[in-house]
């Protein structure tokens, strides 16, 4: 099977696991040195600008589940994320909603588990298929853990589009940050800040979500690669595992051992690290990912030095547009990649 890389069989007791699928409502761009080949534009072409919904041909518009006269019916598209709480997923949902409104022929629903779990997310995929999804936009919880359910979805005729985090199962396209390049950018930002403080060596704490969260693993890979050949040592990764206290306790332990900085690979780990530093009253360097209100507040008050801003709304918007294009036969490529960019946010740039 084609393996997707982002620069980058579970048996489910459905009646039990579907309870984990909930619903919800509503964080400038530096491209990597060697960006992935963009494929978001219709039939190839440059993807520097978001795909316009108007580019998608539609015979008639529909409101929610009611197709307009003469239409073949509204398209049903589901978004499935790793959970429903993170503001990052809410931004992807916002982009999906915007595109659905522009297109006018979409029945759209956002579901996801309450916690990062392959079985629970697989149940959400099964739920979407059972409720008539024609296309599924998914931020895969892990590279392999949801493939069995994605196979069932594909067998049912669903188009699979990855947003932010891809599994290894075939897809129409994967829209995401080039996470390895973004991790290198985060490292270079941290190096600059450490140099400004006169720090040329020491241990840096690194925080991940889970061992299987591909997007965060790629960021960590890029981050670690950028520190190779320096006098800095990167500690073993501490995984949050849906418990911010895992990160906060690791920050406290790291401070006790004289760590010079901390790196969070997503919004949750970054905020947890920043809050731990703030509560300690120490002036430790924190670099992270994503731009929730909580993370931006940490940047604004000087607790955190920098955060990497992704473009989740574009992932949702363009993913929805491409899903409809694939359903209507105007987007025929498979396993393409679209880099949606990243930038560095510091207090000076806010």
């Amino acid at each position: 099977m084609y393996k997707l890389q982002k620069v980058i069989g579970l048996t489910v007791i459905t009646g039990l696991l579907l309870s984990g699928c909930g619903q919800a409502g509503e964080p400038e761009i530096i491209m990597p040195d060697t960006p992935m080949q963009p494929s978001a534009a219709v039939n190839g072409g440059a993807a520097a600008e978001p795909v316009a919904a108007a580019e998608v041909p539609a015979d008639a518009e529909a409101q929610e589940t009611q197709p307009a006269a003469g239409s073949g019916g509204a398209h049903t598209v589901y978004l499935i994320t790793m959970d429903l709480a993170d503001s990052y997923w809410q931004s992807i949902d916002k982009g999906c909603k915007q595109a659905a409104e522009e297109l006018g022929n979409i029945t759209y629903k956002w579901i996801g588990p309450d916690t990062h779990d392959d079985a629970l997310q697989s149940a959400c995929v099964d739920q979407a298929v059972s409720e008539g999804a024609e296309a599924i936009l998914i931020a895969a919880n892990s590279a392999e853990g949801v493939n069995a359910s994605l196979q069932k979805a594909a067998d049912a005729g669903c188009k699979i589009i990855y947003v932010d985090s891809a599994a290894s199962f075939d897809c129409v396209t994967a829209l995401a940050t080039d996470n390895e390049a973004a991790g290198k950018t985060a490292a270079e930002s941290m190096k600059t800040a450490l140099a400004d403080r006169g720090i040329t060596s020491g241990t840096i704490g690194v925080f991940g979500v889970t061992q299987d969260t591909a997007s965060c693993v790629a960021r960590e890979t890029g981050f670690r690669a950028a520190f190779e050949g320096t006098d800095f040592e990167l500690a073993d990764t501490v995984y949050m595992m849906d418990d911010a206290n895992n990160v906060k306790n690791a920050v406290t332990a790291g401070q006790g051992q004289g760590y010079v900085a901390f790196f969070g690979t997503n919004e949750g780990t970054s905020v947890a690290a920043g809050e731990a530093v703030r509560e300690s009253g120490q002036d430790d360097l924190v670099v992270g990912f994503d731009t929730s209100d909580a993370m931006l507040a940490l940047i604004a008050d000087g607790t955190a030095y920098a955060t990497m801003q992704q473009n989740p709304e574009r992932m949702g918007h363009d993913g929805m547009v491409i899903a409809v294009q694939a359903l209507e036969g105007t987007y025929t490529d498979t396993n393409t990649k679209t880099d949606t960019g990243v930038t560095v946010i510091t207090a000076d740039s806010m």
Side-chain angles (χ1 to χ4, degrees), residues 2 53 60 72 174 197 228 275 279 287:
Y2 184 91
R197 296 184 178 197
E228 291 179 0
E275 289 179 344
E279 290 165 8
V287 172

Side-chain angles (χ1 to χ4, degrees), residues 58-69:
D59 295 332
E61 293 186 349
Q63 295 298 321
E64 293 296 328
T65 59
Q66 299 300 315

Side-chain angles (χ1 to χ4, degrees), residues 124-149:
C124 291
V125 174
D126 295 341
Q127 175 186 335
V129 173
S130 70
E131 293 178 358
E134 300 170 70
I136 294 174
L137 279 64
I138 181 169
N141 189 62
S142 69
E144 306 286 344
V146 297
N147 283 359
S149 286

Side-chain angles (χ1 to χ4, degrees), residues 95-169:
C96 287
K97 286 179 177 176
Q98 179 185 351
E101 291 172 0
E102 293 169 358
L103 291 163
N105 64 338
I106 304 299
T107 298
Y108 167 66
K109 190 173 184 179
W110 176 28
I111 63 174
D114 296 326
T115 187
H116 292 208
D117 183 272
D118 287 342
L120 293 178
Q121 192 178 54
S122 292
C124 291
V125 174
D126 295 341
Q127 175 186 335
V129 173
S130 70
E131 293 178 358
E134 300 170 70
I136 294 174
L137 279 64
I138 181 169
N141 189 62
S142 69
E144 306 286 344
V146 297
N147 283 359
S149 286
L150 292 177
Q151 180 68 66
K152 294 178 191 176
D155 291 344
C158 280
K159 303 293 185 181
I160 308 299
I161 293 91
Y162 296 119
V163 287
D164 180 73
S165 182
S168 57
F169 189 80

Side-chain angles (χ1 to χ4, degrees), residues 13-206:
I13 304 174
T14 304
L16 173 65
L17 293 179
L18 285 180
S19 61
C21 300
Q23 289 178 247
E26 325 278 297
E28 50 192 63
I29 299 178
I30 298 173
M31 301 298 284
D33 292 337
T34 307
M36 293 183 286
Q37 289 300 312
S39 303
V42 180
N43 295 325
E49 297 298 329
V51 177
E55 295 172 355
V56 181
D59 295 332
E61 293 186 349
Q63 295 298 321
E64 293 296 328
T65 59
Q66 299 300 315
S71 169
H75 294 298
T76 301
V77 181
Y78 273 58
L79 169 66
I80 300 173
T81 52
M82 297 180 193
D83 61 52
L84 298 175
D86 198 314
S87 64
Y88 184 81
W89 308 130
Q90 294 167 13
S91 294
I92 293 180
D93 170 57
K94 183 177 179 181
C96 287
K97 286 179 177 176
Q98 179 185 351
E101 291 172 0
E102 293 169 358
L103 291 163
N105 64 338
I106 304 299
T107 298
Y108 167 66
K109 190 173 184 179
W110 176 28
I111 63 174
D114 296 326
T115 187
H116 292 208
D117 183 272
D118 287 342
L120 293 178
Q121 192 178 54
S122 292
C124 291
V125 174
D126 295 341
Q127 175 186 335
V129 173
S130 70
E131 293 178 358
E134 300 170 70
I136 294 174
L137 279 64
I138 181 169
N141 189 62
S142 69
E144 306 286 344
V146 297
N147 283 359
S149 286
L150 292 177
Q151 180 68 66
K152 294 178 191 176
D155 291 344
C158 280
K159 303 293 185 181
I160 308 299
I161 293 91
Y162 296 119
V163 287
D164 180 73
S165 182
S168 57
F169 189 80
D170 289 340
C171 68
V172 174
T173 193
L175 300 100
T177 303
D178 181 339
N179 286 293
E180 191 167 336
K184 290 180 180 178
T185 299
E188 295 303 329
S189 299
M190 181 177 284
K191 286 181 185 178
T192 298
L194 288 167
D196 288 344
R197 296 184 178 197
I199 300 173
T200 58
S201 64
T203 303
I204 298 168
V206 179

